[in-house]
Amino acid sequence: MKNAWDEIQDFKGSLVKGEWPTVPELFLMAEQRYKNNVCFSVFDPERKTITYGEAKKKILGIASYLRDKGVKKGDRVALNGKNSPEWALSYFAILFAGAIVVPIDNQMKTERFMMLSEYAGVKFVIADFDVLEKMKNRSNPWFEALAGVGMLKGKSDSYTKVTEMTSANLMETRVLLDENDTAAILFTSGTTGNEKGAVLTHKNLVSNVYQAANGMSVNEHDVLYALLPLHHSYCCTAVLLETVRHGAECLFGHGIVVSRMIADLKMGKVTVFMGIPLLYNKVISGIFDKVRKKGVVTYGLIRFLMAVNGFFKKTTGKAPLRGFFNKKILSQVGLDSSKLLICGAGPLSPRVFKQYQQMGLNFLQGYGLTETSPILTLNPPEHFKVDSVGKVLSFVDMIIADKNQEGIGEIRVKGPNICKGYYNDEENTKALFDENGYLRTGDLGYLDNENYLYLKGRKKNIIVTEGGKNVFPEEIEDMFQLYTQVEQILIRGFQQKKDVPCECIEAVIYPSKDYYKDKNLDEEAVAKDIGQVVQEVNKNLSGYKKIEKITILKEPMEMTTTKKIKRNTVQA
């Protein structure tokens, strides 16, 4: 059986100079093979497309413009905008020019964006119109000293649009780079604040694309959907770069708005959809709500057929009722064209995972970190394990350090996709690696005898009870995924007795406004209903894990762009 990375040999010596291609070389490999294939597309409002051949010309034009403005090999260029073909073209152009891309969260406050850009020594900024306007209105010597700015999206005569960037002296190809040169500095949004800039090389990014490609079964006929923010390594690697590696089409979404997402999935006939637990939970909840409204008999029949279909899929690898589910259910949410669903940025409830599988969908769950480019494990559809986040990828050396009696310990890794460290941050870089050079993930878990990983939670989030038991908050939080009454939940420890250092379990909950908006319940009644949900969950928890305190919030907790709660910002 051929491995995805075997194709690199066909380009060695001519296009590819190192062991792994650089990102520009990855794009040129695709352009040589799939020049007339659609590369990027968007519904805005009509479908707009650009082929690989057309994209290459645009990329070289933007790269030439950057060069003319004084951007040299190794310079940093910030990229801040909503998902769009222009974002992708700029991303590749920055790297074609030999520069380093610094993607920034488009939801970040302007002051913070400018501070991080200045810290990274950014020389040129490419951003949406509204971001550029906010920057212009703040007096800042660094901004005034920039070599230039470019506009991704918006209407203005004040800034040069990236699609119009060009040069009288066009570059014929990319600036030659080494695979070990830095490609990107990604500031981790994290759940604890204090962003750190992970330094990722071309080798880190491209090796991870090939590692993941082995388990995705994607080809040049597929349509991948870029819905999650592209500044995040998850979407950038698993969708944008993975699309290019296969010569497939990348369709750009417009933010996490379920109705707009479903419209895109239907019109774009998306075959590979990547989401986060929050999205998959909302979609499956919507599906079952509609089925329930058709009556008890219909609901019972659908669940029975799902069980039958799931049994055959698990035992034979084939789902004989997929056509039925396509017509009756999946077509309504735009998933009837899907051949692969991917979930990352957090573990999905095994029950939800199983429900999608029972409708005949191939579900690929994974695990990783920004610092690992990001993917470390994938749960292959042909041999998936519902409770696992997947099998360790090829070339990744994963160990479980400091195991407890149950075999649970910190997950540590080596491999070609592991970052150099943090930009201009010797202290945190040193702390990131152990004495043997393994990256400390900070996550706890264990491996089975087939090298499948099972996550337990974050090392720093462990709650230690009076009996000396370890409680992993994430395990309890995941049990609330199917309760639509709960929009957000954070499990943490609290001291019941000030003179006793052990902790009890507290649930901090923000109720779902959508669920309660038409129920005419006052705060006391909502709190009582939430209490009943907690009681249900408690029934399935061991005694030392049971929730003893509930705190109901009136405002939502602050979240990262991949919808993880920033734990240290919760004050209630």
Side-chain angles (χ1 to χ4, degrees):
M1 178 181 171
K2 286 192 70 175
N3 290 308
W5 48 85
D6 291 343
E7 69 173 28
I8 299 171
Q9 294 302 321
D10 297 336
F11 296 90
K12 282 281 181 76
S14 55
L15 186 59
V16 177
K17 307 301 180 186
E19 177 189 8
W20 297 95
T22 63
V23 175
E25 287 167 355
L26 183 76
F27 186 90
L28 291 172
M29 289 164 63
E31 192 271 339
Q32 281 190 18
R33 291 176 293 175
Y34 308 110
K35 185 175 183 177
N36 297 317
N37 280 20
V38 172
C39 180
F40 305 138
S41 64
V42 67
F43 290 100
D44 189 28
E46 300 299 319
R47 185 170 182 257
K48 298 176 182 177
T49 64
I50 182 170
T51 66
Y52 278 86
E54 292 165 341
K56 178 186 172 184
K57 292 177 184 176
K58 292 282 187 186
I59 289 166
L60 288 172
I62 299 166
S64 301
Y65 181 91
L66 293 175
R67 178 205 58 199
D68 291 353
K69 288 293 181 180
V71 174
K72 302 184 297 297
K73 182 178 179 179
D75 284 342
R76 269 84 57 203
V77 178
L79 183 54
N80 183 336
K82 297 180 180 68
N83 288 10
S84 65
E86 291 84 359
W87 195 101
L89 292 168
S90 299
Y91 178 89
F92 286 106
I94 292 165
L95 298 173
F96 265 68
I100 297 166
V101 64
V102 184
I104 301 286
D105 183 355
N106 188 245
Q107 300 301 310
M108 185 178 285
K109 291 182 179 178
T110 305
E111 293 81 1
R112 189 71 179 161
F113 164 48
M114 295 176 77
M115 191 204 79
L116 290 179
S117 296
E118 185 174 5
Y119 174 74
V122 164
K123 189 171 183 176
F124 196 100
V125 171
I126 300 175
D128 287 343
F129 168 73
D130 61 326
V131 175
L132 296 174
E133 284 293 284
K134 288 175 184 175
M135 292 173 69
K136 187 176 71 173
N137 293 330
R138 286 163 174 78
S139 178
N140 186 299
W142 162 79
F143 180 66
E144 293 166 4
L146 285 175
V149 299
M151 185 174 71
L152 288 166
K153 300 288 286 182
K155 294 181 180 179
S156 172
D157 295 327
S158 303
Y159 309 109
T160 304
K161 294 180 180 178
V162 292
T163 51
E164 295 172 0
M165 287 181 178
T166 188
S167 169
N169 182 24
L170 276 176
M171 293 168 52
E172 293 183 7
T173 188
R174 81 281 187 203
V175 171
L176 290 178
L177 296 166
D178 185 85
E179 63 185 306
N180 294 307
D181 287 335
T182 299
I185 299 172
L186 300 187
F187 284 100
T188 59
S189 55
T191 57
T192 58
N194 302 320
E195 299 96 338
K196 298 184 287 288
V199 178
L200 299 175
T201 66
H202 289 267
K203 178 179 181 177
N204 292 157
L205 294 170
V206 176
S207 66
N208 201 227
V209 169
Y210 279 99
Q211 287 169 310
N214 243 32
M216 289 180 70
S217 303
V218 177
N219 59 48
E220 70 272 21
H221 304 297
D222 282 308
V223 180
L224 287 79
Y225 189 44
L227 176 68
L228 301 178
L230 279 165
H231 78 271
H232 195 276
S233 60
Y234 177 35
C235 190
C236 192
T237 298
V239 177
L240 179 61
L241 296 181
E242 202 67 55
T243 294
V244 169
R245 182 280 177 205
H246 291 94
E249 175 184 343
C250 183
L251 171 64
F252 294 87
H254 302 272
I256 303 176
V257 179
V258 175
S259 59
R260 186 70 184 269
M261 175 192 82
I262 290 173
D264 280 346
L265 293 174
K266 288 179 178 178
M267 295 187 294
K269 298 192 180 303
V270 171
T271 60
V272 181
F273 174 65
M274 188 189 77
I276 54 178
L278 175 73
L279 268 177
Y280 287 116
N281 290 333
K282 283 191 172 184
V283 171
I284 202 74
S285 175
I287 286 172
F288 285 134
D289 281 348
K290 287 182 179 179
V291 174
R292 283 191 188 95
K293 288 176 182 176
K294 294 182 179 180
V296 176
V297 174
T298 300
Y299 179 76
L301 176 62
I302 291 293
R303 294 308 297 259
F304 170 74
L305 292 175
M306 285 175 63
V308 171
N309 204 41
F311 170 79
F312 279 104
K313 183 163 178 56
K314 181 69 176 175
T315 54
T316 70
K318 298 184 184 300
L321 298 177
R322 172 64 189 269
F324 168 81
F325 285 108
N326 274 349
K327 185 177 180 180
K328 298 295 183 180
I329 294 176
L330 299 178
S331 59
Q332 297 175 32
V333 291
L335 294 179
D336 50 318
S337 297
S338 294
K339 76 175 193 182
L340 184 64
L341 303 181
I342 307 171
C343 186
L348 186 68
S349 164
R351 280 179 64 190
V352 177
F353 185 100
K354 187 176 180 179
Q355 286 164 353
Y356 280 102
Q357 291 276 2
Q358 287 178 329
M359 286 187 281
L361 292 162
N362 285 325
F363 212 105
L364 191 66
Q365 182 156 232
Y367 159 74
L369 312 169
T370 298
E371 293 86 346
T372 62
S373 304
I375 309 168
L376 291 169
T377 70
L378 285 175
N379 211 344
E382 67 277 5
H383 184 37
F384 63 89
K385 298 188 179 185
V386 172
D387 296 319
S388 170
V389 289
K391 190 173 184 179
V392 179
L393 295 181
S394 300
F395 306 112
V396 172
D397 176 10
M398 181 178 287
I399 62 170
I400 306 298
D402 304 326
K403 296 178 186 177
N404 65 13
Q405 292 180 340
E406 297 170 318
I408 298 167
E410 184 184 22
I411 302 159
R412 298 184 186 178
V413 289
K414 284 183 179 180
N417 54 315
I418 308 303
C419 74
K420 286 182 175 181
Y422 297 118
Y423 179 78
N424 200 22
D425 191 342
E426 186 177 341
E427 182 181 349
N428 280 312
T429 296
K430 187 176 180 181
L432 184 62
F433 298 94
D434 69 12
E435 64 278 7
N436 296 313
Y438 284 88
L439 181 141
R440 306 173 190 264
T441 67
D443 289 319
L444 296 168
Y446 65 92
L447 292 166
D448 69 11
N449 58 6
E450 291 186 285
N451 225 22
Y452 279 70
L453 178 67
Y454 297 77
L455 282 183
K456 301 302 286 186
R458 292 290 291 172
K459 187 176 180 180
K460 61 193 170 192
N461 297 339
I462 285 180
I463 299 167
V464 182
T465 69
E466 188 173 7
K469 295 280 191 180
N470 289 339
V471 176
F472 305 102
E474 295 86 350
E475 275 192 317
I476 302 174
E477 289 164 0
D478 290 344
M479 295 179 74
F480 285 84
Q481 285 190 22
L482 294 179
Y483 290 94
T484 51
Q485 298 96 315
V486 177
E487 180 72 23
Q488 294 177 320
I489 180 163
L490 180 140
I491 298 294
R492 65 185 181 187
F494 74 98
Q495 278 183 261
Q496 203 165 48
K497 302 172 186 176
K498 289 185 179 179
D499 56 339
V500 180
C502 65
E503 296 175 294
C504 298
I505 314 299
E506 176 188 11
V508 181
I509 294 173
Y510 175 66
S512 169
K513 284 189 174 181
D514 287 343
Y515 180 85
Y516 288 108
K517 67 181 178 182
D518 298 323
K519 292 187 169 47
N520 297 317
L521 298 178
D522 58 20
E523 288 184 9
E524 186 178 344
V526 169
K528 184 177 180 181
D529 192 46
I530 292 292
Q532 290 175 342
V533 170
V534 172
Q535 283 181 20
E536 281 188 42
V537 171
N538 270 345
K539 289 176 184 176
N540 296 307
L541 290 171
S542 303
Y544 68 92
K545 294 181 181 179
K546 290 187 186 298
I547 297 164
E548 297 183 45
K549 179 181 177 183
I550 304 171
T551 299
I552 305 291
L553 299 179
K554 293 183 179 180
E555 298 294 330
M557 291 173 267
E558 188 178 350
M559 304 184 84
T560 70
T561 51
T562 51
K563 303 304 177 185
K564 294 178 184 176
I565 294 168
K566 293 188 175 182
R567 305 184 84 92
N568 70 324
T569 66
V570 180
Q571 301 298 324

